[in-house]
Amino acid sequence: MPLTEIKNSLAALADPERARNLEWFFKTGPGEYGEGDVFLGIKVPEVRKVAKRFVGIEVGEASSLLKSTMHEERLAALLILVAKFAKGDEEEKKLIYDLYLANTRYVNNWDLVDLSAYKIVGPYLTNRSRRPLHTLAASASLWERRIAVLSTFHFIKNNDFSESLSLAGKLLSDPEDLIHKACGWMLREVGKHDMETEESFLRKHYTEMPRTMLRYAIEKFPEA
């Protein structure tokens, strides 16, 4: 069975020492944002290789893999879904988009969000209502809010900045540092395309912005 083959392929690459380091890096301790997550200890390029080998599995099988307790297995599932979305017809794209939003509780660390949201949610909503992003941004879930922000990376790449700016404005008072970093990152990306637009937003909000958000937003600015 494909899922067994995928799991066995990943298990063969497991590195217990690296797993311990990753569990520290991704904050899996009690009360931390990744609490309870379990790692095999596999480098992302190696997970990508496994995902590429099994990209032909059914969407339903990828969905089952996404529910795994092992971080790298969820990552492989998301990489498979991203690849299938890119090549899928409209029916399959909708299936994957709906599956993704129905299973955000498994997209539960920043790397999982950052490698998938702007390649599934962003493209799907390009010519549709962006309301789902604002629903996600109002969620109690840190990861759903980050999905909302990171999904706009797709729009930025196509010189559409409105949603990134709107969400950054709404999330100025968000309590989570990972959201401040995400918003600051997207603002910085806006600036790469249109510095005037980013500066206009910063002039309006810099006094109330979390310092982390501001620091990320101006990271590439000239020192002066």
Side-chain angles (χ1 to χ4, degrees):
M1 292 192 48
L3 289 187
T4 300
E5 292 180 40
I6 296 172
K7 287 174 177 284
N8 288 342
S9 297
L10 291 170
L13 298 168
D15 180 337
E17 183 176 355
R18 181 175 175 80
R20 287 191 292 273
N21 291 334
L22 288 172
E23 287 169 4
W24 170 83
F25 183 73
F26 284 100
K27 308 299 183 187
T28 63
E32 296 182 310
Y33 61 71
E35 181 176 358
D37 205 354
V38 181
F39 285 75
L40 289 165
I42 309 171
K43 295 179 180 179
V44 173
E46 296 301 319
V47 179
R48 286 188 183 278
K49 288 178 183 178
V50 173
K52 187 175 181 179
R53 282 169 48 204
F54 292 96
V55 73
I57 68 173
E58 298 296 325
V59 170
E61 292 176 306
S63 176
S64 295
L65 187 63
L66 182 59
K67 297 176 175 64
S68 170
T69 58
M70 306 305 298
H71 187 98
E72 290 90 343
E73 291 180 3
R74 299 199 304 283
L75 174 58
L78 289 167
L79 292 171
I80 289 169
L81 290 171
V82 163
K84 294 180 80 67
F85 183 94
K87 295 183 178 180
D89 58 21
E90 285 304 308
E91 183 178 356
E92 187 165 48
K93 287 180 189 293
K94 183 179 189 306
L95 176 64
I96 292 170
Y97 166 81
D98 288 343
L99 183 156
Y100 188 89
L101 290 191
N103 290 279
T104 53
R105 62 190 177 278
Y106 303 111
V107 189
N108 58 349
N109 217 310
W110 58 262
D111 62 322
L112 303 179
V113 173
D114 297 2
L115 289 170
S116 61
Y118 80 97
K119 293 187 175 182
I120 294 176
V121 180
Y124 187 78
L125 296 179
T126 294
N127 296 312
R128 295 178 172 88
S129 169
R130 310 286 175 79
R131 187 174 298 174
L133 297 182
H134 294 269
T135 300
L136 289 168
S139 170
S141 164
L142 159 63
W143 306 120
E144 289 193 346
R145 300 200 304 279
R146 190 167 173 110
I147 286 169
V149 176
L150 264 294
S151 295
T152 70
F153 197 7
H154 176 78
F155 308 147
I156 294 171
K157 289 174 179 288
N158 291 281
N159 294 308
D160 178 355
F161 314 129
S162 58
E163 297 304 328
S164 301
L165 299 176
S166 177
L167 292 179
K170 287 185 175 182
L171 293 167
L172 287 172
S173 60
D174 194 278
E176 296 288 348
D177 193 58
L178 283 173
I179 298 301
H180 305 165
K181 291 177 179 178
C183 290
W185 174 15
M186 291 304 99
L187 291 170
R188 185 176 72 230
E189 293 300 322
V190 169
K192 290 180 181 179
H193 292 258
D194 186 337
M195 182 64 77
E196 185 176 343
T197 295
E198 183 191 1
E199 287 187 1
S200 177
F201 180 91
L202 294 178
R203 288 193 189 98
K204 183 177 180 180
H205 296 291
Y206 78 93
T207 58
E208 59 182 319
M209 289 174 70
R211 297 301 90 180
T212 298
M213 188 187 298
L214 179 60
R215 187 171 69 250
Y216 270 61
I218 64 173
E219 189 175 41
K220 300 298 183 180
F221 277 30
E223 185 174 347

